[in-house]
DNA sequence: GAGTGGTCTAGACCACGGT
DNA sequence: CCGTGGTCTAGACCACTCA
């Protein structure tokens, strides 16, 4: 047999837990015990068990030992795909059309979401994203000109606003909110659907060190699904 | 100053990357170099950098070194909350009412999603979930009686079907799909909304070692939002 | 107080993948 | 080839927390 790695031990223990070797909430062996069983050092077991804790499979407490999570918490990890990748990944050609690009003072709701002072001006964009020439998503976006002043003169011909921001302000954190909304007049026109149609909606606000970067609302055309695994 | 831990180093390097110290795709120092800089051992830096790789901030290759991700991939990790927790977490009282519970042969679509043979019988449930006596979500669920035969006689008075399954078949994997749908007749009646109202919808199929456990469709009442961070 | 996990270290060897 | 990351080890010390 090949030498035990922290990954193989992690898998093995995970399998034993899933198979029900220990009940929910039950104490499982300690690091030293596992180390003997798998003939490896305690550090190796430690890594494996820490990983299982991050996965949400076990809980660990000093002195309390390691136990199977009493209440499993299904958790998902997934990428928020770029529209371009979503479209091209499905084998279609991607295009986008900017319908509005101007400077505006955002409404109170948006000011609130972006934590802006009154009177701050933002770039405002409305963009229609197309898959094989057909409407795929309709986007309303506000960009904080104080956080990203270069955006005003950004060339959005090759890169979409989202892509431009990803390159310029990478790894920013964000708050995302998914919901379902009835199509309003503009969205229904842009997407060529009836008013009131059920649209999958993603709202996102991203932050760079406490300052808002952009607030975007994305209405997906009917039929869109966001898939992932848990 | 206190001794450098892998967590503090991870934070520090992440901060330097976010601040733009290196360009997208650029090579960052190697483990030994960081180890000298932070006066710690290489293992400690290794742990920090591996964590940043899992976060999606850097890419690592043997001999190639570690570089900032060329294209940041925004990724989210979130718990799929239990309905009870969603409701009680918002300060409301949770109740559920089972409207239908019977055995049925699922339709072709469901058979397909659950990878069932023709003629297999399943438990079928329709449940209304309430927050402060008001409709919160409407659930249609199929349970594979071959994978979980005990479900037929499960007491669902105290535990919801979802909770019962979580306890009985913990840590199973699942495919989730989010979408927006117009309320059909049953959903609109159950949730007391107009037909055609936009409903946030979660479809989920869970698996235990290659066999389907349950397929569930959850229609949330209007106004529901699924929030998380990236 | 004692047992458990959390972490660091120094050294070692291996595996991959550019040169 | 040889530099980089990937991993293991043995030992050590600390921090938490339960009894």
């Amino acid at each position: 047999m090949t030498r035990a790695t922290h990954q193989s031990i992690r898998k093995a223990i995970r399998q034993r837990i899933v198979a029900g070797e220990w009940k929910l909430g039950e104490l499982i062996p300690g690091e030293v015990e596992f180390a003997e069983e798998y003939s490896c050092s305690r550090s190796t077991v430690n890594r494996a068990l820490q990983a299982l804790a991050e996965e949400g499979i076990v809980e660990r407490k000093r002195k309390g030992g390691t136990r199977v999570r009493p209440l499993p918490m299904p958790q998902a990890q997934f990428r928020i795909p770029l529209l371009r990748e979503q479209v091209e990944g499905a084998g279609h050609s991607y295009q986008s059309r900017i319908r509005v690009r101007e400077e505006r003072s955002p409404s109170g709701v948006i000011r609130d979401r972006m934590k802006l002072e009154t009177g701050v001006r933002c770039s405002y964009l409305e963009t229609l994203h197309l898959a094989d020439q057909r409407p795929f998503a309709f986007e309303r976006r506000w960009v904080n000109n104080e956080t990203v002043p270069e955006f005003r003169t950004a060339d959005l011909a090759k890169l979409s606003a989202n892509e431009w921001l990803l390159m310029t302000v990478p790894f920013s954190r964000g708050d995302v909110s998914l919901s379902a909304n009835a199509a309003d007049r503009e969205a229904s026109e842009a997407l060529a659907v009836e008013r009131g149609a059920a649209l999958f909606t993603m709202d996102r606000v991203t932050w760079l060190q406490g300052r808002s970067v952009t607030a975007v609302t994305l209405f997906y055309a009917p039929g869109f699904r966001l898939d992932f695994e848990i």
Side-chain angles (χ1 to χ4, degrees), chain A residues 177-184 187 196-203 217-220:
Chain A
S177 174
L178 303 176
S179 58
N181 292 94
D184 61 19
L199 301 182
F200 187 80
T201 309
M202 177 184 297
D203 287 287
T217 301
L218 214 46
F219 298 100
Y220 286 88

Side-chain angles (χ1 to χ4, degrees), chain A residues 6 33 54 58 64 75 101 124 127 131 164 173 191 215 229:
Chain A
H6 63 90
E33 201 167 331
E54 274 176 32
V58 300
Q75 55 182 11
R101 180 177 185 178
Y124 175 74
T127 309
W164 188 93
R173 299 211 64 74
L191 294 171
E229 292 190 359

Side-chain angles (χ1 to χ4, degrees), chain A residues 6 32 64 85 123 126 132 136 145 151 166 180 189 191 199 208 217:
Chain A
H6 63 90
V32 282
E85 292 178 0
S123 291
E126 286 184 9
D132 280 346
F136 177 72
N145 282 338
F151 184 82
L166 263 182
E189 276 177 20
L191 294 171
L199 301 182
L208 178 64
T217 301

Side-chain angles (χ1 to χ4, degrees), chain A residues 75-195:
Chain A
Q75 55 182 11
Q77 180 163 30
F78 71 98
R79 281 189 61 192
I80 304 222
L82 295 175
L83 284 165
R84 178 190 301 279
E85 292 178 0
Q86 268 174 46
V87 169
E88 293 180 346
H92 303 124
S93 73
Y94 171 80
Q95 270 188 302
S96 68
R97 284 193 205 132
I98 296 176
R99 297 161 47 117
V100 177
R101 180 177 185 178
E102 60 190 30
E103 295 204 11
R104 278 200 202 171
S105 294
S107 69
V109 183
I110 299 290
R111 268 211 315 275
D112 221 50
R113 290 228 307 252
M114 298 179 73
K115 285 195 195 147
L116 298 174
E117 309 287 318
T118 318
V120 170
R121 293 183 75 74
C122 287
S123 291
Y124 175 74
L125 282 93
E126 286 184 9
T127 309
L128 183 61
H129 302 267
L130 303 156
D132 280 346
Q133 324 287 337
R134 305 182 49 164
F136 177 72
F138 175 62
E139 169 187 316
R140 290 200 180 100
R141 180 185 295 272
W142 298 85
V143 180
N144 187 341
N145 282 338
E146 296 192 345
T147 310
V148 204
E150 317 90 304
F151 184 82
R152 269 198 301 247
T153 55
D155 174 16
L156 300 182
K158 287 182 187 162
L159 256 46
S160 73
N162 190 29
E163 289 163 342
W164 188 93
L165 286 166
L166 263 182
M167 305 293 285
T168 312
V169 193
F171 309 115
S172 42
R173 299 211 64 74
D175 303 313
V176 184
S177 174
L178 303 176
S179 58
N181 292 94
D184 61 19
R185 193 179 55 74
E186 277 181 314
S188 63
E189 276 177 20
L191 294 171
V193 298
E194 303 168 1
R195 283 192 63 168

Side-chain angles (χ1 to χ4, degrees), chain A residues 40-72:
Chain A
C40 64
S41 76
R42 185 171 78 92
S43 330
T44 306
V45 175
N46 180 284
R47 261 209 98 157
L49 289 180
Q50 281 196 17
L52 289 178
E54 274 176 32
E55 277 183 52
I57 308 255
V58 300
E59 274 179 352
R60 321 194 72 200
K61 255 190 244 160
R62 285 166 154 133
K63 167 69 180 175
T66 303
R67 49 186 73 235
V68 179
R69 264 223 125 81
L71 257 177

